[in-house]
Amino acid sequence: MNIHEYQSKAILKSYGVAVPNGAPAFNVDEAVAVAEKLSTPIMVVKAQIHAGGRGKAGGVKLAHNLDEVRTYATELLGKTLVTHQTGPEGKTVNRLLIEEGSSIAHEYYLSLVIDRSTARVVMMGSSEGGVEIEKVAAESPEKIFREYIDPVIGLAPFQATRMAYALNFPPKAIRKAAALMMKLYDAFIGKDCSQVEINPLVVTTDDDVIALDAKLNFDDSALFRHPDIVALRDETEEDAKERRAAQSELNYVNLGGNVACMVNGAGLAMATVDILKHYGGNPANFLDVGGDSTPEKIAEAFQIMLDGGQAKGIFVNIFGGINKCDLVAQGIVDAAKIISEDGKTLPVPVVVRLEGTNVERGREILLETPIKNVIMAKTMEGGAEQIVKLVAEGGSAQ
Ligand code: GDP
Ligand code: MN
């Protein structure tokens, strides 16, 4: 789960991490009121969206007086910001963060993420902050430093100090930088984060070390023990289909393509996405319906996949272990009744590969119904190839 920059900064502040003074604003008057309270010579007006790259896209403005704050706030609120992280459709700005301006001497990059190959949290740092870290990683990987953190010991003070020296913090800022890293790690562990990214972390002309930007992501599986984090959810930033799926306990991730797939089990779902790609298809989603599918759940999954017209075909790939193939088949029939106007025509071709428990009964159900557009596939490979072909042709299966 993602949250906004101002929310991330509030959490970090509660752990003692230095962040600029500021507050969120939801309309222009609030923005001016926050700025008035700050009464600093320079104020920063920052668009709050769940994406980075705002600076380059015009979403971060330096204001020198309240009039400028008003102008920038008016300009940004309601605007669609397109950054390299939003995709071409961009994101609408509904909230702002108004902060005191910092006098920057140097910008650094610092993050904590989970490194799966070592099964540890890794702290990554670079003296090349403020820019896209992916670029630094690609062009000058030697400028990125890493500290792998022992889960029992935690981030050791010597590691934080070593990182501060590696990044070339000025002598007066070394201790402050190392102390900030220790607090960041506390926040990462304390809130069950999956990522903490500070880009830029800055040294000011007074040798203070401040987190000028902050991006916190959380491990969804640990959210049950952080109701305070769940309360920060901004549903307007989330994919509507993913949200709807979560309510029905369907694991759905929008992948942007046009071949939808409905699968049981995360491993098979990933393999299905891969095999669709292998045959030249463009998967619309990852969808794991889980092991206890009811016809209602299957019908809901169909509606989610078809909603909005993104899917031009559906590949159902079920290996019935705990799931019963006949219940899945019944779900497809029920879905057709709900979705189609005549109760039997689905708007896109559906290729179904069923295997496992009650498969014979499942096949019978699909063959007996008057639903059109449903084709039974014998194998996973054959089914994938067929749906990709049908979608490419834009045709329907009869
Ligand atoms: P992002 O582009 O979405 O990652 O937004 P950031 O919060 O990282 O801001 C982008 C850039 O704006 C930073 O790298 C800074 O160069 C600049 N910026 C942000 N806040 C301040 C500030 O208080 N003072 C100055 N001088 N520049 C700032
Ligand atoms: Mn940034």
Side-chain angles (χ1 to χ4, degrees):
M1 182 188 143
N2 287 344
I3 59 173
H4 287 290
E5 175 194 6
Y6 75 90
Q7 297 166 327
S8 296
K9 282 177 167 168
I11 291 170
L12 293 181
K13 195 175 176 184
S14 75
Y15 279 86
V17 175
V19 297
N21 287 319
F26 294 80
N27 58 53
V28 176
D29 288 336
E30 269 178 39
V32 175
V34 173
E36 206 163 5
K37 249 191 178 167
L38 289 172
S39 69
T40 48
I42 294 182
M43 291 141 292
V44 191
V45 181
K46 305 185 81 175
Q48 298 295 287
I49 51 170
H50 284 188
R54 297 161 301 165
K56 268 190 191 157
V60 179
K61 306 278 191 190
L62 297 188
H64 301 84
N65 54 53
L66 295 181
D67 283 341
E68 282 185 20
V69 171
R70 182 172 290 281
T71 305
Y72 290 138
T74 309
E75 192 183 304
L76 285 175
L77 280 168
K79 183 180 170 170
T80 304
L81 212 57
V82 181
T83 82
H84 68 95
Q85 286 186 5
T86 58
E89 69 282 4
K91 276 185 179 271
T92 311
V93 182
N94 298 313
R95 308 175 187 198
L96 299 173
L97 169 60
I98 314 297
E99 281 186 341
E100 65 175 323
S102 308
S103 158
I104 303 171
H106 191 81
E107 302 192 11
Y108 304 82
Y109 173 91
L110 194 72
S111 71
L112 291 159
V113 289
I114 292 164
D115 178 59
R116 292 178 198 283
S117 58
T118 54
R120 293 190 169 203
V121 176
V122 60
M123 177 166 70
M124 295 200 289
S126 175
S127 57
E128 308 290 303
V131 293
E132 286 166 50
I133 195 65
E134 293 82 2
K135 245 189 191 155
V136 181
E139 289 165 14
S140 36
E142 75 284 355
K143 288 186 179 159
I144 297 180
F145 296 89
R146 292 177 176 79
E147 290 288 346
Y148 293 87
I149 302 168
D150 186 301
V152 177
I153 297 166
L155 178 63
F158 83 87
Q159 291 183 295
T161 309
R162 187 161 64 188
M163 179 64 87
Y165 277 108
L167 301 191
N168 245 328
F169 274 88
K172 279 191 191 160
I174 291 276
R175 289 173 69 114
K176 288 179 199 165
L180 183 141
M181 292 173 202
M182 303 292 290
K183 289 169 189 159
L184 271 190
Y185 181 73
D186 287 346
F188 184 99
I189 297 298
K191 295 295 182 190
D192 287 311
C193 292
S194 54
Q195 183 187 32
V196 170
E197 186 182 67
I198 310 298
N199 188 22
L201 173 68
V202 303
V203 168
T204 66
T205 44
D206 298 328
D207 287 319
D208 280 328
V209 182
I210 304 177
L212 213 63
D213 191 7
K215 180 178 191 303
L216 265 57
N217 287 353
F218 302 92
D219 180 348
D220 289 348
S221 304
L223 283 176
F224 71 93
R225 54 186 189 187
H226 299 289
D228 54 326
I229 305 290
V230 176
L232 299 178
R233 178 158 253 155
D234 180 358
E235 296 196 334
T236 64
E237 292 279 341
E238 295 178 0
D239 186 285
K241 286 188 180 189
E242 290 184 11
R243 209 165 62 226
R244 179 172 167 191
Q247 281 162 3
S248 308
E249 289 176 18
L250 295 162
N251 295 305
Y252 179 97
V253 181
N254 196 337
L255 298 176
N258 58 6
V259 187
C261 43
M262 186 183 85
V263 189
N264 66 312
L268 189 60
M270 283 192 279
T272 304
V273 165
D274 282 349
I275 201 161
L276 287 171
K277 275 267 182 199
H278 174 76
Y279 285 111
N282 199 359
N285 63 275
F286 167 101
L287 171 55
D288 169 14
V289 292
D292 54 350
S293 301
T294 56
E296 294 76 33
K297 217 169 150 182
I298 301 292
E300 173 70 2
F302 258 73
Q303 283 179 286
I304 291 170
M305 287 188 290
L306 289 169
D307 188 37
Q310 180 188 345
K312 303 296 178 220
I314 297 177
F315 182 34
V316 177
N317 187 13
I318 299 287
F319 185 82
I322 301 167
N323 265 324
K324 311 270 187 300
C325 291
D326 53 336
L327 294 184
V328 173
Q330 191 56 52
I332 296 171
V333 174
D334 291 354
K337 279 187 199 143
I338 298 167
I339 293 160
S340 65
E341 276 161 25
D342 59 2
K344 42 190 177 187
T345 317
L346 285 162
V348 299
V350 180
V351 172
V352 183
R353 179 258 183 169
L354 287 177
E355 213 53 77
T357 312
N358 297 353
V359 64
E360 292 308 331
R361 180 72 201 118
R363 291 208 179 114
E364 274 167 32
I365 289 172
L366 288 176
L367 290 175
E368 280 164 11
T369 66
I371 316 177
K372 295 173 192 161
N373 305 20
V374 175
I375 314 169
M376 301 297 292
K378 288 202 180 69
T379 64
M380 177 163 159
E381 291 85 348
E385 196 174 4
Q386 202 164 6
I387 191 68
V388 169
K389 206 167 148 227
L390 283 168
V391 168
E393 287 165 358
S396 66
Q398 291 296 327

